[in-house]
Amino acid sequence: MTDRITVGHMYPNVPSPIAAKRFDVSVRRQEASQGPSFQDVFNDSLVRISHHAGVRLQQRGIELKPEQMDKIGTAIEKAAAKGAKESLIVMDNMAMIVNVKSKTIVTALDRTSMTDNVFTQIDSAVII
């Protein structure tokens, strides 16, 4: 029993890890050259609401309509164009803190919650 058994002998139809790695790299290069997928573009265009913001919206009785979400999306794009990272968006009778890069509403306040409030850790404000 001096014969060595190697992986190739035990599993002759399994490609070597080196060949698999080369395949992964070539597939990634093809995917990268094709540009972003539709799903990526779709997800990037959406304004998200964090769990915390969702709870605050519900507690304060704030309902965001599709037209308002469009305005918020436009405000986020304007803030991003100016290099903003965390922005205060004031619209109608509410205010929101938004993470511009991820297009996520972090928290939301109604008019009564905004009164006598200090907003910190923001670098911009957009008034709609």
Side-chain angles (χ1 to χ4, degrees):
M1 285 220 100
T2 60
D3 293 338
R4 283 183 49 174
I5 297 176
T6 62
V7 174
H9 289 112
M10 291 174 55
Y11 305 102
N13 295 330
V14 176
S16 72
I18 295 171
K21 199 170 215 173
R22 284 186 199 136
F23 175 74
D24 287 346
V25 171
S26 65
V27 169
R28 285 188 203 131
R29 284 184 185 147
Q30 285 177 341
E31 289 174 355
S33 66
Q34 292 174 356
S37 68
F38 173 78
Q39 187 67 37
D40 292 338
V41 172
F42 181 72
N43 287 339
D44 288 344
S45 68
L46 293 178
V47 174
R48 295 173 186 85
I49 300 173
S50 71
H51 176 74
H52 174 78
V55 170
R56 293 292 179 252
L57 289 167
Q58 187 177 14
Q59 285 175 343
R60 294 169 176 152
I62 301 171
E63 185 177 327
L64 294 173
K65 297 179 175 79
E67 308 86 45
Q68 291 173 315
M69 292 298 284
D70 289 340
K71 287 181 182 180
I72 293 167
T74 302
I76 292 171
E77 288 172 11
K78 287 179 182 179
K82 296 286 186 174
K85 293 183 172 98
E86 296 286 332
S87 187
L88 169 69
I89 297 178
V90 180
M91 178 174 74
D92 301 330
N93 292 324
M94 68 182 102
M96 293 155 276
I97 303 292
V98 176
N99 179 291
V100 175
K101 183 177 180 182
S102 66
K103 295 184 179 182
T104 303
I105 298 172
V106 178
T107 193
L109 303 110
D110 59 358
R111 176 159 303 285
T112 57
S113 300
M114 281 191 293
T115 307
D116 292 328
N117 204 340
V118 176
F119 297 99
T120 60
Q121 297 181 351
I122 61 170
D123 58 13
S124 60
V126 182
I127 313 298
I128 301 176

